[in-house]
């Protein structure tokens, strides 16, 4: 089992810094896949994807992309988890979509982990209120300038390096 | 042998004491008060569980952690609850923040939409060490009617917890 596969089993045990490291890992290692998926999503207006033990349904409507999620095997989808307005500029849209995909997959990894050694208690679908692709996350809602400053000053978590090396 | 009922008792046994329309009116008034009461003044509470020890496996090693679980519960259905949570440790007379997480949103439970459950706000503790811990959380609940209710809570007094598996 690789280190990344082990982290796919942690679920609710994932710490904040680990979640951010996994988000960056997904962005760096799945960029080609995300670009292909963004083309598919634009042509078909909807897309199904998988992460850990969860299923994701993306849809685009009036320049808004959103996703719903469910545990593999469940009948019902969770209500809309996140939505993001898309830019009208092509390459910006693709870049933003890649970040949206990585965030969605991370949310699903956190809530529907693979079966592993760690016990997962019953819980609600839980996410970071501010997604990692916004400056609001780094500022905790305290403004974009503060967010930009904190993002620049932030040290990369050593887990990202370990994941990339594994 | 036949049973004879004394005459003065007959009206009491056969006629209702209170007219039915009065009973209906009282019942309807009570139902209206209950409905309006719960509809206009929904309330929510935040239950912060006592911080307790738990272990989990990460990178092929067992990690000891102190964790706290939080649950919001409302009298009406909710969409989600957003909170920030902390765990404090009492060292001497000083309360030290040993864990903090901000802006976490849990969506309403599918089986009971009046509640949202957060699990495993935790930090890795030093194995064998005993500390006095208190959990605290605050935030808001977004109800399905669009209203937002502020909530806060804590786990009560500082409670001793040893950072190791004491189960036999």
């Amino acid at each position: 089992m690789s280190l990344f596969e082990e982290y796919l089993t942690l679920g609710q045990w994932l710490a904040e810094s680990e979640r951010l490291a996994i988000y960056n890992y997904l962005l760096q290692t799945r960029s080609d896949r995300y670009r292909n998926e963004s083309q598919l999503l634009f042509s078909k207006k909807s897309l199904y994807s998988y992460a850990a033990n969860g299923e994701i349904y993306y849809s685009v409507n009036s320049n808004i992309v959103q996703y719903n999620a469910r545990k593999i095997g469940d009948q019902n989808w969770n209500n809309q988890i996140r939505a993001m307005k898309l830019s009208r500029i092509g390459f910006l849209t693709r870049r933003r979509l890649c970040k949206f995909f990585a965030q969605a997959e991370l949310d699903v990894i956190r809530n529907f982990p693979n079966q592993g050694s760690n016990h997962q208690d019953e819980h609600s679908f839980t996410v970071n209120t501010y997604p990692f692709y916004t400056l609001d996350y780094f500022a905790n809602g305290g403004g974009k300038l503060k967010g930009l400053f904190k993002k620049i000053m932030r040290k990369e978590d050593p887990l990202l390096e370990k994941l990339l090396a594994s | 042998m036949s049973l004879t009922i004394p005459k003065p008792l007959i009206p009491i046994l056969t006629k209702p004491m209170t007219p039915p329309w009065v009973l209906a009116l009282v019942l309807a008034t009570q139902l209206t008060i209950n409905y309006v009461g719960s509809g206009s003044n929904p309330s929510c509470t935040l239950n912060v569980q006592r911080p307790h020890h738990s272990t989990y496996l990460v990178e092929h090693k067992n990690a000891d952690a102190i964790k706290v679980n939080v649950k919001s519960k409302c009298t009406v259905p909710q969409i989600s609850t957003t909170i920030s949570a902390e765990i404090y440790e009492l060292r001497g007379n000083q309360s030290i923040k040993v864990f903090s997480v901000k802006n976490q949103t849990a969506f309403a439970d599918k089986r009971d939409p009046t509640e949202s459950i957060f699990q495993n706000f935790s930090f890795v503790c030093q194995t064998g060490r005993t500390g006095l811990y208190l959990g605290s959380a605050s935030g808001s609940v977004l109800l399905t009617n669009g209203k937002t209710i502020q909530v806060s809570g804590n786990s009560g007094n500082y409670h001793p917890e040893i950072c190791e598996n004491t189960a036999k």
Side-chain angles (χ1 to χ4, degrees), chain A residues 94-131:
Chain A
R94 279 191 296 277
R95 251 181 61 177
R96 294 204 74 195
L97 261 181
C98 288
K99 292 177 180 178
F100 189 77
F101 288 153
Q103 180 69 57
E105 289 191 359
L106 172 77
D107 292 341
V108 168
I109 289 167
R110 176 180 181 181
N111 286 281
F112 305 129
N114 284 340
Q115 189 79 34
S117 314
N118 293 308
H119 175 72
Q120 302 286 336
D121 291 311
E122 270 316 301
H123 62 88
S124 305
F125 196 95
T126 308
V127 298
N128 275 65
T129 311
Y130 299 113

mmCIF file of all heavy atoms in Angstrom, chain A residues 94-131:
data_model
loop_
_atom_site.group_PDB
_atom_site.id
_atom_site.type_symbol
_atom_site.label_atom_id
_atom_site.label_comp_id
_atom_site.label_asym_id
_atom_site.label_seq_id
_atom_site.Cartn_x
_atom_site.Cartn_y
_atom_site.Cartn_z
ATOM 1 N N ARG A 94 -10.579 26.466 -17.162
ATOM 2 C CA ARG A 94 -10.002 25.121 -17.018
ATOM 3 C C ARG A 94 -9.169 25.021 -15.738
ATOM 4 O O ARG A 94 -9.229 24.027 -15.021
ATOM 5 C CB ARG A 94 -9.155 24.780 -18.253
ATOM 6 C CG ARG A 94 -10.004 24.288 -19.438
ATOM 7 C CD ARG A 94 -9.151 23.713 -20.542
ATOM 8 N NE ARG A 94 -8.277 24.701 -21.150
ATOM 9 C CZ ARG A 94 -8.661 25.543 -22.115
ATOM 10 N NH1 ARG A 94 -9.913 25.497 -22.578
ATOM 11 N NH2 ARG A 94 -7.827 26.411 -22.630
ATOM 12 N N ARG A 95 -8.402 26.084 -15.463
ATOM 13 C CA ARG A 95 -7.570 26.078 -14.250
ATOM 14 C C ARG A 95 -8.429 26.006 -12.989
ATOM 15 O O ARG A 95 -8.145 25.266 -12.050
ATOM 16 C CB ARG A 95 -6.719 27.359 -14.207
ATOM 17 C CG ARG A 95 -5.255 27.076 -14.458
ATOM 18 C CD ARG A 95 -4.409 28.297 -14.405
ATOM 19 N NE ARG A 95 -4.447 28.978 -13.114
ATOM 20 C CZ ARG A 95 -3.730 30.052 -12.829
ATOM 21 N NH1 ARG A 95 -2.955 30.577 -13.758
ATOM 22 N NH2 ARG A 95 -3.786 30.618 -11.655
ATOM 23 N N ARG A 96 -9.506 26.799 -13.010
ATOM 24 C CA ARG A 96 -10.384 26.816 -11.833
ATOM 25 C C ARG A 96 -11.097 25.471 -11.670
ATOM 26 O O ARG A 96 -11.309 24.995 -10.562
ATOM 27 C CB ARG A 96 -11.427 27.944 -11.948
ATOM 28 C CG ARG A 96 -10.809 29.338 -11.908
ATOM 29 C CD ARG A 96 -11.802 30.360 -11.447
ATOM 30 N NE ARG A 96 -12.026 30.232 -10.004
ATOM 31 C CZ ARG A 96 -13.031 30.789 -9.358
ATOM 32 N NH1 ARG A 96 -13.912 31.519 -10.009
ATOM 33 N NH2 ARG A 96 -13.170 30.634 -8.056
ATOM 34 N N LEU A 97 -11.463 24.882 -12.821
ATOM 35 C CA LEU A 97 -12.154 23.586 -12.749
ATOM 36 C C LEU A 97 -11.255 22.507 -12.163
ATOM 37 O O LEU A 97 -11.722 21.665 -11.381
ATOM 38 C CB LEU A 97 -12.619 23.157 -14.139
ATOM 39 C CG LEU A 97 -14.083 23.424 -14.472
ATOM 40 C CD1 LEU A 97 -14.419 22.918 -15.864
ATOM 41 C CD2 LEU A 97 -15.025 22.793 -13.459
ATOM 42 N N CYS A 98 -9.963 22.529 -12.537
ATOM 43 C CA CYS A 98 -9.023 21.538 -11.985
ATOM 44 C C CYS A 98 -9.003 21.655 -10.462
ATOM 45 O O CYS A 98 -9.023 20.649 -9.744
ATOM 46 C CB CYS A 98 -7.612 21.764 -12.539
ATOM 47 S SG CYS A 98 -7.458 21.283 -14.268
ATOM 48 N N LYS A 99 -8.979 22.895 -9.957
ATOM 49 C CA LYS A 99 -8.960 23.104 -8.505
ATOM 50 C C LYS A 99 -10.279 22.627 -7.876
ATOM 51 O O LYS A 99 -10.290 22.065 -6.775
ATOM 52 C CB LYS A 99 -8.727 24.580 -8.191
ATOM 53 C CG LYS A 99 -7.329 25.037 -8.568
ATOM 54 C CD LYS A 99 -7.152 26.514 -8.316
ATOM 55 C CE LYS A 99 -5.740 26.956 -8.703
ATOM 56 N NZ LYS A 99 -5.525 28.383 -8.527
ATOM 57 N N PHE A 100 -11.374 22.871 -8.582
ATOM 58 C CA PHE A 100 -12.684 22.442 -8.080
ATOM 59 C C PHE A 100 -12.739 20.910 -7.989
ATOM 60 O O PHE A 100 -13.240 20.353 -7.005
ATOM 61 C CB PHE A 100 -13.790 22.977 -8.998
ATOM 62 C CG PHE A 100 -15.177 22.774 -8.477
ATOM 63 C CD1 PHE A 100 -15.678 23.594 -7.472
ATOM 64 C CD2 PHE A 100 -16.000 21.768 -8.972
ATOM 65 C CE1 PHE A 100 -16.971 23.413 -6.973
ATOM 66 C CE2 PHE A 100 -17.275 21.583 -8.481
ATOM 67 C CZ PHE A 100 -17.766 22.403 -7.487
ATOM 68 N N PHE A 101 -12.217 20.241 -9.023
ATOM 69 C CA PHE A 101 -12.197 18.768 -9.016
ATOM 70 C C PHE A 101 -11.362 18.245 -7.839
ATOM 71 O O PHE A 101 -11.759 17.302 -7.154
ATOM 72 C CB PHE A 101 -11.603 18.230 -10.326
ATOM 73 C CG PHE A 101 -12.495 18.398 -11.532
ATOM 74 C CD1 PHE A 101 -11.947 18.507 -12.809
ATOM 75 C CD2 PHE A 101 -13.876 18.427 -11.415
ATOM 76 C CE1 PHE A 101 -12.755 18.660 -13.928
ATOM 77 C CE2 PHE A 101 -14.693 18.578 -12.533
ATOM 78 C CZ PHE A 101 -14.128 18.691 -13.787
ATOM 79 N N ALA A 102 -10.190 18.852 -7.632
ATOM 80 C CA ALA A 102 -9.309 18.399 -6.544
ATOM 81 C C ALA A 102 -9.992 18.596 -5.194
ATOM 82 O O ALA A 102 -9.920 17.734 -4.309
ATOM 83 C CB ALA A 102 -7.988 19.152 -6.590
ATOM 84 N N GLN A 103 -10.667 19.728 -5.036
ATOM 85 C CA GLN A 103 -11.368 20.001 -3.771
ATOM 86 C C GLN A 103 -12.503 19.000 -3.559
ATOM 87 O O GLN A 103 -12.687 18.471 -2.461
ATOM 88 C CB GLN A 103 -11.913 21.433 -3.782
ATOM 89 C CG GLN A 103 -12.656 21.832 -2.523
ATOM 90 C CD GLN A 103 -11.748 21.961 -1.312
ATOM 91 O OE1 GLN A 103 -10.799 22.721 -1.331
ATOM 92 N NE2 GLN A 103 -12.032 21.217 -0.256
ATOM 93 N N ALA A 104 -13.259 18.745 -4.621
ATOM 94 C CA ALA A 104 -14.380 17.799 -4.517
ATOM 95 C C ALA A 104 -13.858 16.412 -4.133
ATOM 96 O O ALA A 104 -14.428 15.738 -3.257
ATOM 97 C CB ALA A 104 -15.136 17.737 -5.837
ATOM 98 N N GLU A 105 -12.775 15.984 -4.785
ATOM 99 C CA GLU A 105 -12.228 14.658 -4.475
ATOM 100 C C GLU A 105 -11.721 14.604 -3.033
ATOM 101 O O GLU A 105 -11.928 13.609 -2.334
ATOM 102 C CB GLU A 105 -11.100 14.308 -5.456
ATOM 103 C CG GLU A 105 -11.649 14.033 -6.848
ATOM 104 C CD GLU A 105 -10.622 13.430 -7.807
ATOM 105 O OE1 GLU A 105 -9.469 13.239 -7.402
ATOM 106 O OE2 GLU A 105 -11.005 13.171 -8.956
ATOM 107 N N LEU A 106 -11.083 15.682 -2.591
ATOM 108 C CA LEU A 106 -10.609 15.712 -1.208
ATOM 109 C C LEU A 106 -11.785 15.621 -0.224
ATOM 110 O O LEU A 106 -11.731 14.865 0.758
ATOM 111 C CB LEU A 106 -9.810 16.987 -0.945
ATOM 112 C CG LEU A 106 -9.461 17.140 0.524
ATOM 113 C CD1 LEU A 106 -8.322 16.233 0.908
ATOM 114 C CD2 LEU A 106 -9.167 18.548 0.888
ATOM 115 N N ASP A 107 -12.854 16.385 -0.483
ATOM 116 C CA ASP A 107 -14.040 16.332 0.393
ATOM 117 C C ASP A 107 -14.574 14.906 0.490
ATOM 118 O O ASP A 107 -14.958 14.438 1.564
ATOM 119 C CB ASP A 107 -15.157 17.249 -0.159
ATOM 120 C CG ASP A 107 -14.807 18.733 -0.089
ATOM 121 O OD1 ASP A 107 -13.906 19.094 0.691
ATOM 122 O OD2 ASP A 107 -15.438 19.519 -0.827
ATOM 123 N N VAL A 108 -14.592 14.230 -0.655
ATOM 124 C CA VAL A 108 -15.135 12.867 -0.692
ATOM 125 C C VAL A 108 -14.190 11.886 0.006
ATOM 126 O O VAL A 108 -14.628 10.991 0.737
ATOM 127 C CB VAL A 108 -15.429 12.460 -2.160
ATOM 128 C CG1 VAL A 108 -15.700 10.967 -2.269
ATOM 129 C CG2 VAL A 108 -16.640 13.233 -2.670
ATOM 130 N N ILE A 109 -12.877 12.084 -0.179
ATOM 131 C CA ILE A 109 -11.884 11.229 0.514
ATOM 132 C C ILE A 109 -12.049 11.376 2.025
ATOM 133 O O ILE A 109 -11.958 10.413 2.775
ATOM 134 C CB ILE A 109 -10.452 11.621 0.074
ATOM 135 C CG1 ILE A 109 -10.201 11.177 -1.367
ATOM 136 C CG2 ILE A 109 -9.400 11.049 1.019
ATOM 137 C CD1 ILE A 109 -8.953 11.786 -2.002
ATOM 138 N N ARG A 110 -12.310 12.602 2.481
ATOM 139 C CA ARG A 110 -12.485 12.855 3.918
ATOM 140 C C ARG A 110 -13.733 12.163 4.464
ATOM 141 O O ARG A 110 -13.733 11.655 5.579
ATOM 142 C CB ARG A 110 -12.575 14.375 4.151
ATOM 143 C CG ARG A 110 -12.842 14.760 5.585
ATOM 144 C CD ARG A 110 -12.923 16.263 5.758
ATOM 145 N NE ARG A 110 -13.155 16.639 7.134
ATOM 146 C CZ ARG A 110 -13.289 17.884 7.561
ATOM 147 N NH1 ARG A 110 -13.202 18.884 6.714
ATOM 148 N NH2 ARG A 110 -13.513 18.145 8.830
ATOM 149 N N ASN A 111 -14.804 12.160 3.666
ATOM 150 C CA ASN A 111 -16.084 11.667 4.175
ATOM 151 C C ASN A 111 -16.384 10.206 3.841
ATOM 152 O O ASN A 111 -17.090 9.541 4.578
ATOM 153 C CB ASN A 111 -17.213 12.563 3.668
ATOM 154 C CG ASN A 111 -17.230 13.893 4.384
ATOM 155 O OD1 ASN A 111 -17.715 13.974 5.501
ATOM 156 N ND2 ASN A 111 -16.647 14.924 3.774
ATOM 157 N N PHE A 112 -15.876 9.739 2.703
ATOM 158 C CA PHE A 112 -16.108 8.348 2.304
ATOM 159 C C PHE A 112 -14.763 7.669 2.049
ATOM 160 O O PHE A 112 -14.404 7.377 0.902
ATOM 161 C CB PHE A 112 -16.987 8.287 1.047
ATOM 162 C CG PHE A 112 -18.294 9.019 1.158
ATOM 163 C CD1 PHE A 112 -18.692 9.927 0.186
ATOM 164 C CD2 PHE A 112 -19.137 8.802 2.233
ATOM 165 C CE1 PHE A 112 -19.898 10.607 0.285
ATOM 166 C CE2 PHE A 112 -20.344 9.475 2.347
ATOM 167 C CZ PHE A 112 -20.729 10.386 1.371
ATOM 168 N N PRO A 113 -13.991 7.421 3.124
ATOM 169 C CA PRO A 113 -12.661 6.826 2.939
ATOM 170 C C PRO A 113 -12.745 5.358 2.535
ATOM 171 O O PRO A 113 -13.784 4.720 2.723
ATOM 172 C CB PRO A 113 -12.033 6.969 4.325
ATOM 173 C CG PRO A 113 -13.194 6.954 5.256
ATOM 174 C CD PRO A 113 -14.319 7.638 4.534
ATOM 175 N N ASN A 114 -11.638 4.868 2.015
ATOM 176 C CA ASN A 114 -11.552 3.430 1.749
ATOM 177 C C ASN A 114 -11.540 2.681 3.080
ATOM 178 O O ASN A 114 -11.136 3.237 4.104
ATOM 179 C CB ASN A 114 -10.265 3.104 0.985
ATOM 180 C CG ASN A 114 -10.361 3.506 -0.479
ATOM 181 O OD1 ASN A 114 -11.458 3.683 -1.021
ATOM 182 N ND2 ASN A 114 -9.224 3.655 -1.120
ATOM 183 N N GLN A 115 -11.976 1.444 3.009
ATOM 184 C CA GLN A 115 -11.958 0.600 4.203
ATOM 185 C C GLN A 115 -10.509 0.420 4.664
ATOM 186 O O GLN A 115 -9.634 0.128 3.843
ATOM 187 C CB GLN A 115 -12.568 -0.767 3.846
ATOM 188 C CG GLN A 115 -12.806 -1.674 5.010
ATOM 189 C CD GLN A 115 -14.075 -1.290 5.770
ATOM 190 O OE1 GLN A 115 -15.032 -0.833 5.170
ATOM 191 N NE2 GLN A 115 -14.062 -1.469 7.071
ATOM 192 N N GLY A 116 -10.256 0.632 5.951
ATOM 193 C CA GLY A 116 -8.896 0.478 6.469
ATOM 194 C C GLY A 116 -8.930 0.057 7.916
ATOM 195 O O GLY A 116 -9.950 -0.425 8.421
ATOM 196 N N SER A 117 -7.821 0.260 8.602
ATOM 197 C CA SER A 117 -7.731 -0.170 9.999
ATOM 198 C C SER A 117 -8.472 0.767 10.947
ATOM 199 O O SER A 117 -8.773 0.389 12.076
ATOM 200 C CB SER A 117 -6.272 -0.212 10.438
ATOM 201 O OG SER A 117 -5.506 -0.854 9.463
ATOM 202 N N ASN A 118 -8.709 1.994 10.504
ATOM 203 C CA ASN A 118 -9.275 2.980 11.428
ATOM 204 C C ASN A 118 -10.797 2.967 11.406
ATOM 205 O O ASN A 118 -11.417 2.995 10.342
ATOM 206 C CB ASN A 118 -8.764 4.374 11.059
ATOM 207 C CG ASN A 118 -7.280 4.485 11.302
ATOM 208 O OD1 ASN A 118 -6.802 4.181 12.393
ATOM 209 N ND2 ASN A 118 -6.535 4.878 10.279
ATOM 210 N N HIS A 119 -11.344 2.956 12.610
ATOM 211 C CA HIS A 119 -12.795 2.957 12.748
ATOM 212 C C HIS A 119 -13.348 4.335 12.375
ATOM 213 O O HIS A 119 -12.800 5.354 12.766
ATOM 214 C CB HIS A 119 -13.170 2.616 14.196
ATOM 215 C CG HIS A 119 -14.632 2.706 14.454
ATOM 216 N ND1 HIS A 119 -15.516 1.787 13.948
ATOM 217 C CD2 HIS A 119 -15.362 3.621 15.133
ATOM 218 C CE1 HIS A 119 -16.743 2.130 14.318
ATOM 219 N NE2 HIS A 119 -16.676 3.237 15.044
ATOM 220 N N GLN A 120 -14.398 4.338 11.579
ATOM 221 C CA GLN A 120 -15.033 5.612 11.205
ATOM 222 C C GLN A 120 -16.409 5.689 11.861
ATOM 223 O O GLN A 120 -17.283 4.876 11.567
ATOM 224 C CB GLN A 120 -15.189 5.716 9.677
ATOM 225 C CG GLN A 120 -13.892 5.598 8.893
ATOM 226 C CD GLN A 120 -13.008 6.843 8.983
ATOM 227 O OE1 GLN A 120 -13.482 7.946 9.234
ATOM 228 N NE2 GLN A 120 -11.715 6.662 8.778
ATOM 229 N N ASP A 121 -16.582 6.669 12.767
ATOM 230 C CA ASP A 121 -17.885 6.823 13.430
ATOM 231 C C ASP A 121 -18.882 7.468 12.479
ATOM 232 O O ASP A 121 -18.510 8.117 11.515
ATOM 233 C CB ASP A 121 -17.723 7.716 14.677
ATOM 234 C CG ASP A 121 -16.936 7.013 15.759
ATOM 235 O OD1 ASP A 121 -17.273 5.865 16.068
ATOM 236 O OD2 ASP A 121 -15.982 7.622 16.276
ATOM 237 N N GLU A 122 -20.167 7.292 12.794
ATOM 238 C CA GLU A 122 -21.226 7.946 12.020
ATOM 239 C C GLU A 122 -21.049 9.458 12.093
ATOM 240 O O GLU A 122 -20.805 9.987 13.167
ATOM 241 C CB GLU A 122 -22.602 7.616 12.614
ATOM 242 C CG GLU A 122 -23.317 6.396 12.086
ATOM 243 C CD GLU A 122 -23.310 6.197 10.593
ATOM 244 O OE1 GLU A 122 -23.795 7.070 9.859
ATOM 245 O OE2 GLU A 122 -22.812 5.152 10.163
ATOM 246 N N HIS A 123 -21.150 10.131 10.991
ATOM 247 C CA HIS A 123 -21.001 11.586 11.007
ATOM 248 C C HIS A 123 -21.713 12.181 9.809
ATOM 249 O O HIS A 123 -22.044 11.475 8.847
ATOM 250 C CB HIS A 123 -19.517 11.967 10.978
ATOM 251 C CG HIS A 123 -18.814 11.497 9.730
ATOM 252 N ND1 HIS A 123 -18.772 12.238 8.584
ATOM 253 C CD2 HIS A 123 -18.171 10.347 9.455
ATOM 254 C CE1 HIS A 123 -18.111 11.562 7.659
ATOM 255 N NE2 HIS A 123 -17.746 10.410 8.155
ATOM 256 N N SER A 124 -21.913 13.487 9.863
ATOM 257 C CA SER A 124 -22.493 14.184 8.723
ATOM 258 C C SER A 124 -21.402 14.432 7.692
ATOM 259 O O SER A 124 -20.208 14.376 8.008
ATOM 260 C CB SER A 124 -23.060 15.531 9.171
ATOM 261 O OG SER A 124 -23.965 15.357 10.227
ATOM 262 N N PHE A 125 -21.799 14.731 6.457
ATOM 263 C CA PHE A 125 -20.821 15.095 5.425
ATOM 264 C C PHE A 125 -20.217 16.432 5.847
ATOM 265 O O PHE A 125 -20.905 17.445 5.937
ATOM 266 C CB PHE A 125 -21.517 15.204 4.061
ATOM 267 C CG PHE A 125 -20.560 15.197 2.901
ATOM 268 C CD1 PHE A 125 -20.273 14.013 2.237
ATOM 269 C CD2 PHE A 125 -19.939 16.359 2.479
ATOM 270 C CE1 PHE A 125 -19.379 13.992 1.168
ATOM 271 C CE2 PHE A 125 -19.049 16.352 1.415
ATOM 272 C CZ PHE A 125 -18.767 15.168 0.753
ATOM 273 N N THR A 126 -18.911 16.414 6.141
ATOM 274 C CA THR A 126 -18.248 17.590 6.722
ATOM 275 C C THR A 126 -17.166 18.112 5.784
ATOM 276 O O THR A 126 -16.379 17.324 5.241
ATOM 277 C CB THR A 126 -17.611 17.223 8.077
ATOM 278 O OG1 THR A 126 -18.605 16.586 8.890
ATOM 279 C CG2 THR A 126 -17.083 18.438 8.793
ATOM 280 N N VAL A 127 -17.142 19.422 5.605
ATOM 281 C CA VAL A 127 -16.147 20.040 4.709
ATOM 282 C C VAL A 127 -15.578 21.301 5.341
ATOM 283 O O VAL A 127 -16.157 21.856 6.276
ATOM 284 C CB VAL A 127 -16.777 20.417 3.338
ATOM 285 C CG1 VAL A 127 -17.285 19.194 2.601
ATOM 286 C CG2 VAL A 127 -17.888 21.445 3.504
ATOM 287 N N ASN A 128 -14.464 21.747 4.793
ATOM 288 C CA ASN A 128 -13.983 23.086 5.135
ATOM 289 C C ASN A 128 -14.956 24.086 4.514
ATOM 290 O O ASN A 128 -15.259 23.977 3.321
ATOM 291 C CB ASN A 128 -12.607 23.328 4.529
ATOM 292 C CG ASN A 128 -11.513 22.795 5.407
ATOM 293 O OD1 ASN A 128 -11.430 21.597 5.600
ATOM 294 N ND2 ASN A 128 -10.710 23.683 5.937
ATOM 295 N N THR A 129 -15.427 25.029 5.318
ATOM 296 C CA THR A 129 -16.390 25.996 4.793
ATOM 297 C C THR A 129 -15.803 26.717 3.583
ATOM 298 O O THR A 129 -16.460 26.876 2.556
ATOM 299 C CB THR A 129 -16.755 27.020 5.889
ATOM 300 O OG1 THR A 129 -17.092 26.292 7.075
ATOM 301 C CG2 THR A 129 -17.911 27.903 5.471
ATOM 302 N N TYR A 130 -14.567 27.170 3.708
ATOM 303 C CA TYR A 130 -13.904 27.847 2.590
ATOM 304 C C TYR A 130 -13.026 26.830 1.869
ATOM 305 O O TYR A 130 -12.135 26.239 2.489
ATOM 306 C CB TYR A 130 -13.039 29.009 3.084
ATOM 307 C CG TYR A 130 -13.822 30.073 3.812
ATOM 308 C CD1 TYR A 130 -13.640 30.287 5.172
ATOM 309 C CD2 TYR A 130 -14.755 30.853 3.137
ATOM 310 C CE1 TYR A 130 -14.364 31.257 5.840
ATOM 311 C CE2 TYR A 130 -15.481 31.823 3.812
ATOM 312 C CZ TYR A 130 -15.281 32.017 5.162
ATOM 313 O OH TYR A 130 -16.002 32.976 5.822
ATOM 314 N N PRO A 131 -13.258 26.629 0.575
ATOM 315 C CA PRO A 131 -12.425 25.661 -0.141
ATOM 316 C C PRO A 131 -10.980 26.132 -0.256
ATOM 317 O O PRO A 131 -10.706 27.334 -0.192
ATOM 318 C CB PRO A 131 -13.101 25.596 -1.524
ATOM 319 C CG PRO A 131 -13.923 26.824 -1.642
ATOM 320 C CD PRO A 131 -14.289 27.245 -0.267
#
